[in-house]
Amino acid sequence: MVIFNMKGMNILESKKEIKSFKAMDILEKAIEMEDIIHLELGEPDFDTPKPIKDEGIRAINEEKIIYTHSMGMKELRTEIAKYYNEKYGTNICYENIVVTAGTSPALLLAIYVVLEYSHKKEILTSNPGYACYPNFINFLSGKMKNYDLDINNNFKMDINKIKEKITENTAAILINSPSNPTGDVIKEKEYQEIADLGLCVISDEIYQGLVYNGKQYDSILNYTDNAIVLNGFSKLFSMTGWRLGYLIVPDKFLSLTQKLEQNLFISANTISQYAAIKALTSLEVEKEVENMIKEYNNRRIITINELKKHNLKIAANPEGAYYMIIDVREYTDNSLKFAYEILEKAKVAVTPGIDFGSNLEGFIRISYATSTENIIEGIRRIGDYIKGL
Ligand SMILES: Cc1ncc(COP(=O)(O)O)c(C=O)c1O
């Protein structure tokens, strides 16, 4: 029996092993300490744009507080489909959108539906990859099968390594671009290669839009119909606490997805749904989001320059999201211990690479979703600490 204690809030007893999130342990410890610079957080530091907040307040004042349709408000689903089609060049209908309380519940539904529908067990994911994926797959009695991303290849995917892992029991491949933790962005040729595998694809597109070199928005849906897309409002619109996300689901999975959404969640947060319509339709929000993307890019460039200045090695090619991987293999083979040392001695909170899979042991992840002052000072502290080793 394992106790799952994330942010000290959820205590869940289960026979399945759910791995504790080391980053959360570090965050909790960092919160108790003083004068800590937080480079571990995967959360935008920007406020939610005002028109979105105003719309949420309006919804409350006008008592828009009852459950919505289990699939979400038709108006929101229509705007999501329109937004995807305009920004991402896709061709989807509102009927295929299921609104959820964040991308995390969307992930739960997507994995369940694919396993149930296919009667297969294995989900392919990358190592390194988002730390929660193994827990979702395990919780749903699936079997995670990792394909390696190689440091010598900048942690880019190698389609042959994926092909080697496909068996007759493969239910789907789960991809994430832009990537948490590497910041890598899947390019057109790679999307095409993934589509050509002929597998069902679960595509976590939560960081789409946060891309800094070249094409800003892309989707697996431009390459195959056999895909479930996950996205949400947390990152691009700075709405983590509003808890709103969605799935784009092919017809064959729709009724199963709806049944599950209805039973597990009834509907997503009504107030947030009203606010999300504003997020997708307000020109003022669009401008603000563009400015946020520009600012993330500024910070990305500053982070790269500061790391170089302090002789810290950047692994991977950080073109999207707001994460960077630092190679600290010269100093440690235990990234968790190293992260605690950096916290205690340099007073900077970072995420140990091991949270994201064995291929990131010996690496740490930093996030540049924070002020430039914090980035510059945090990297200086890490650099000074490492120089003293
Ligand atoms: C890759 C990835 N997917 C999903 C999520 C969950 O996002 P949400 O806030 O929409 O549940 C996160 C959050 O950090 C993430 O990094």
Side-chain angles (χ1 to χ4, degrees):
M1 202 171 295
V2 172
I3 305 290
F4 176 44
N5 187 347
M6 209 167 130
K7 276 195 174 165
M9 292 189 301
N10 306 327
I11 308 288
L12 186 139
E13 285 187 300
S14 163
K15 290 203 175 69
K16 299 177 176 62
E17 199 205 337
I18 306 242
K19 276 195 260 162
S20 144
F21 224 165
K22 304 297 179 229
M24 289 302 174
D25 298 342
I26 289 178
L27 172 67
E28 283 171 10
K29 189 165 163 67
I31 286 169
E32 286 163 14
M33 296 169 68
E34 279 174 21
D35 188 28
I36 298 298
I37 295 198
H38 291 274
L39 299 184
E40 85 284 29
L41 298 177
E43 235 179 319
D45 63 326
F46 295 110
D47 204 358
T48 302
K50 188 167 179 308
I52 303 176
K53 289 195 293 192
D54 287 346
E55 191 62 14
I57 292 164
R58 194 185 66 83
I60 294 173
N61 286 335
E62 293 183 8
E63 310 237 345
K64 313 275 192 200
I65 46 153
I66 56 171
Y67 298 136
T68 66
H69 189 289
S70 61
M71 308 267 275
M73 288 164 58
K74 185 174 171 191
E75 194 184 345
L76 174 59
R77 294 164 69 208
T78 305
E79 290 304 337
I80 291 170
K82 215 161 111 194
Y83 185 84
Y84 243 78
N85 293 342
E86 278 169 14
K87 293 259 184 204
Y88 294 67
T90 53
N91 186 21
I92 52 174
C93 305
Y94 87 88
E95 286 92 338
N96 294 88
I97 310 278
V98 181
V99 179
T100 55
T103 308
S104 306
L107 190 56
L108 183 86
L109 300 190
I111 296 173
Y112 173 82
V113 162
V114 163
L115 292 175
E116 184 69 14
Y117 188 89
S118 68
H119 300 292
K120 296 178 180 179
K121 285 274 178 207
E122 291 172 3
I123 307 276
L124 298 178
T125 64
S126 63
N127 174 5
Y130 177 48
C132 293
Y133 293 152
N135 289 330
F136 277 99
I137 295 168
N138 187 29
F139 182 70
L140 293 167
S141 302
K143 192 167 169 235
M144 182 173 77
K145 248 190 144 180
N146 278 145
Y147 55 91
D148 291 323
L149 304 180
D150 186 356
I151 170 71
N152 299 318
N153 190 24
N154 263 334
F155 292 118
K156 295 280 312 165
M157 62 165 251
D158 172 346
I159 198 71
N160 292 319
K161 290 205 167 150
I162 299 177
K163 281 182 185 162
E164 280 166 17
K165 300 288 174 162
I166 298 174
T167 70
E168 55 188 21
N169 204 17
T170 304
I173 178 169
L174 168 54
I175 59 171
N176 168 223
S177 174
S179 157
N180 176 7
T182 66
D184 180 55
V185 175
I186 295 180
K187 301 289 163 28
E188 292 177 25
K189 178 175 168 283
E190 296 163 311
Y191 269 126
Q192 193 56 58
E193 286 175 340
I194 291 166
D196 290 345
L197 293 172
L199 294 172
C200 175
V201 186
I202 302 173
S203 181
D204 181 348
E205 303 187 351
I206 187 163
Y207 293 101
Q208 272 297 350
L210 297 176
V211 176
Y212 314 110
N213 283 336
K215 194 173 172 185
Q216 270 214 13
Y217 294 83
D218 203 353
S219 170
I220 188 67
L221 294 174
N222 291 318
Y223 306 86
T224 175
D225 294 335
N226 191 13
I228 301 185
V229 164
L230 319 172
N231 207 328
F233 293 83
S234 289
K235 312 290 175 170
L236 195 59
F237 296 98
S238 235
M239 291 176 69
T240 47
W242 294 74
R243 307 310 301 132
L244 205 69
Y246 52 91
L247 298 131
I248 306 170
V249 188
D251 291 344
K252 63 180 175 181
F253 297 138
L254 257 182
S255 75
L256 195 52
T257 311
Q258 179 180 11
K259 217 187 289 172
L260 208 61
E261 167 69 21
Q262 237 170 20
N263 279 282
L264 293 185
F265 306 111
I266 303 184
S267 75
N269 181 318
T270 306
I271 297 149
S272 298
Q273 290 191 57
Y274 278 98
I277 294 170
K278 196 51 121 184
L280 299 177
T281 53
S282 154
L283 288 178
E284 198 183 325
V285 173
E286 189 175 4
K287 270 260 141 322
E288 208 169 324
V289 168
E290 274 169 23
N291 288 338
M292 287 189 222
I293 296 171
K294 273 191 205 138
E295 181 54 24
Y296 282 131
N297 192 31
N298 278 341
R299 294 169 179 186
R300 184 181 74 95
I301 293 163
I302 289 168
T303 307
I304 292 172
N305 289 340
E306 290 301 307
L307 288 171
K308 282 188 184 148
K309 198 162 108 190
H310 293 280
N311 294 321
L312 294 165
K313 272 192 241 158
I314 306 165
N317 190 12
E319 291 185 320
Y322 34 61
Y323 304 108
M324 254 178 239
I325 299 294
I326 310 175
D327 185 349
V328 289
R329 287 175 298 169
E330 235 177 277
Y331 314 102
T332 187
D333 57 7
N334 185 334
S335 59
L336 179 59
K337 192 160 159 263
F338 200 67
Y340 272 113
E341 283 165 15
I342 291 175
L343 180 62
E344 271 157 21
K345 306 215 169 98
K347 300 220 181 289
V348 185
V350 299
T351 307
I354 192 65
D355 255 3
F356 307 99
S358 56
N359 287 343
L360 225 50
E361 184 51 294
F363 297 81
I364 53 174
R365 186 199 75 175
I366 59 169
S367 153
Y368 51 90
T370 185
S371 67
T372 49
E373 296 77 39
N374 277 348
I375 293 167
I376 292 169
E377 175 60 10
I379 293 174
R380 184 196 65 74
R381 290 185 189 185
I382 299 172
D384 285 356
Y385 170 69
I386 283 179
K387 230 179 280 157
L389 289 177

